[in-house]
Amino acid sequence: MMHPPTGIPIALEPLVLRVLAPNASPYTYTGTQSYVVGGTTDAAVIDPGPVDASHLDALLAAVGTRRLVAVLCTHTHRDHSPGARALADRTGAPIVGCGPLTMDDAGPRADAAFDTTYAPDRVLAEGEGVSGTGWSLLAVETPGHTSNHLAFALPESGALFSGDHVMGWSTTIVSPPDGDMAAYMASLEKLMGRSDRIYYPGHGEAVENPQRFVRGLLGHRRAREGQILRLLGEGIGAVPAMVARMYVGLDAKLLPAAERSVLAHLLDLKGRGLAVEAGEWRRS
């Protein structure tokens, strides 16, 4: 997806329109992809994106004369959920989906990335959802990228809106303390047990062979884990030093994200009794 247009609804299949928000960055790729799902009489919007007047207008134009049943959010990062309130206020639709994120840990904070104003009218649990004429969206709990992350299944077409859990352009950032590698891997395994036809992610192109794609993501993470264990065995226990060895040639803007992912792997290894933290990290 080289230069996709922002603000223009693109039909992906009869029940699905995609509208790209104008918030491209090294972390969002070409921007956040909002989805309008529905038939001729009613619809829902998934991930309305950042607060941006032009994007709000584009979403309202894509909904058109249909009744907006709900505004759904996969998670509460600031590129996905802040636009929900403005869209709800303009249409009267309820905000439903993931729960608000509350972080009460005593360690390093990650609140800067989160939408702390998010206030859903209804939080969806596994299998719960919303529906309209000829369509339905069902929650699939996929924690890992964030602890409150949901995907949404569209059983009428076999599509899954995967948010940031599975993206079409990059591996997912798993950033502690809220991001959890063990939960992320378990959520990938959960998706392997499903039979979705296609994924529509929050960023990047559609994933047209999801089972093979998810298998590749699992293999990639297991390979990273193996690299980390080898480096620990060589006595390399500082995260920046590991990243320098593991991510040769990575854009400097993405190094902080790489460091967070390595830390997430280390915390997972610690939880499984394979690594310990004593100033620097080492193998158990």
Side-chain angles (χ1 to χ4, degrees):
M1 193 160 56
M2 295 301 293
H3 297 287
T6 61
I8 297 177
I10 296 174
L12 303 181
E13 56 179 85
L15 294 175
V16 181
L17 297 174
R18 181 181 66 198
V19 183
L20 181 66
N23 63 332
S25 77
Y27 289 96
T28 61
Y29 191 41
T30 56
T32 301
Q33 296 179 146
S34 302
Y35 295 94
V36 179
V37 180
T40 58
T41 60
D42 46 32
V45 169
I46 299 174
D47 283 348
V51 175
D52 182 275
S54 65
H55 189 55
L56 174 62
D57 289 343
L59 290 174
L60 290 169
V63 172
T65 60
R66 293 177 288 181
R67 179 174 67 92
L68 193 62
V69 172
V71 182
L72 296 102
C73 295
T74 60
H75 64 298
T76 49
H77 277 157
R78 290 181 183 171
D79 57 320
H80 285 258
S81 63
R85 177 50 56 196
L87 186 56
D89 288 346
R90 289 277 293 272
T91 63
I95 299 171
V96 302
C98 66
L101 178 61
T102 301
M103 298 183 65
D104 57 3
D105 63 278
R109 307 293 293 192
D111 299 72
F114 291 93
D115 172 16
T116 58
T117 67
Y118 173 75
D121 298 294
R122 179 184 168 206
V123 175
L124 298 180
E126 177 78 19
E128 295 180 340
V130 299
S131 62
T133 304
W135 61 271
S136 55
L137 289 166
L138 303 178
V140 180
E141 294 177 348
T142 49
H145 174 63
T146 60
S147 59
N148 64 346
H149 196 286
L150 296 177
F152 297 107
L154 177 63
E156 288 78 9
S157 79
L160 182 79
F161 299 89
S162 58
D164 280 5
H165 181 61
V166 175
M167 298 190 292
W169 76 287
S170 171
T171 54
T172 296
I173 296 172
V174 180
S175 179
D178 185 63
D180 185 288
M181 188 61 68
Y184 170 75
M185 295 291 280
S187 293
L188 287 178
E189 292 283 3
K190 178 180 181 177
L191 293 189
M192 284 293 295
R194 295 177 54 86
S195 57
D196 303 292
R197 174 183 59 86
I198 193 169
Y199 292 173
Y200 295 128
H203 309 277
E205 286 286 15
V207 177
E208 296 184 349
N209 192 330
Q211 291 286 314
R212 183 175 65 188
F213 194 83
V214 171
R215 190 178 300 112
L217 292 176
L218 285 164
H220 170 77
R221 291 296 186 180
R222 289 168 181 151
R224 288 295 191 203
E225 179 181 293
Q227 283 182 294
I228 290 169
L229 288 170
R230 286 192 295 273
L231 290 171
L232 291 176
E234 296 172 13
I236 299 174
V239 171
M242 291 183 183
V243 169
R245 290 278 296 272
M246 295 169 62
Y247 294 86
V248 178
L250 183 69
D251 186 335
K253 295 178 182 177
L254 300 178
L255 287 175
E259 291 183 1
R260 302 308 292 173
S261 282
V262 169
L263 177 59
H265 274 293
L266 287 164
L267 291 171
D268 179 33
L269 291 169
K270 178 182 177 180
R272 291 154 54 198
L274 298 174
V276 294
E277 186 178 11
E280 291 191 348
W281 290 87
R282 60 179 176 82
R283 292 195 68 158
S284 298

